Amino acid sequence: MKRHILIIDDNKGYIEALNEGLKKEYILKCAFDGRSGLAEIERSRPDVVILDLGLPDIGGFEVCRILRESNKTFDIPVIMLTVQSGRS
């Protein structure tokens, strides 16, 4: 039985890249902002969430905090990622 992964990221290119690398081994769902990601988690309860930190509505840290405070979702593993553009 394949595990379910939810990818929450506002960059379609990153979602496509993750999807390409993971689709053979996992069932994937995607959300493009924090609110729709939280709604999808309530609907499908994924085994793992891959979460972008820089979302357009609710930031990744806030989404993670909401998950951790809920009795229904506190134990879902979350992989947080971000892509920093530019040079410092």
Side-chain angles (χ1 to χ4, degrees), residues 71-84:
N71 289 335
K72 294 179 182 178
T73 59
F74 76 93
D75 60 343
I76 298 174
V78 175
I79 299 170
M80 299 180 91
L81 60 91
T82 192
V83 176
Q84 186 177 9

Side-chain angles (χ1 to χ4, degrees), residues 20-51:
E20 189 61 34
L22 298 171
K23 69 183 178 184
K24 289 181 183 176
E25 300 293 326
Y26 300 95
I27 297 169
L28 301 170
K29 293 198 176 188
C30 303
F32 296 103
D33 59 55
R35 283 185 179 83
S36 61
L38 288 168
E40 183 58 40
I41 290 167
E42 286 293 316
R43 277 191 299 275
S44 66
R45 190 153 192 328
D47 295 301
V48 175
V49 174
I50 298 177
L51 177 61

Side-chain angles (χ1 to χ4, degrees), residues 40-73:
E40 183 58 40
I41 290 167
E42 286 293 316
R43 277 191 299 275
S44 66
R45 190 153 192 328
D47 295 301
V48 175
V49 174
I50 298 177
L51 177 61
D52 182 19
L53 294 178
L55 297 170
D57 58 347
I58 304 173
F61 285 117
E62 181 66 10
V63 171
C64 192
R65 184 191 63 75
I66 291 167
L67 293 176
R68 294 296 169 250
E69 289 180 353
S70 170
N71 289 335
K72 294 179 182 178
T73 59

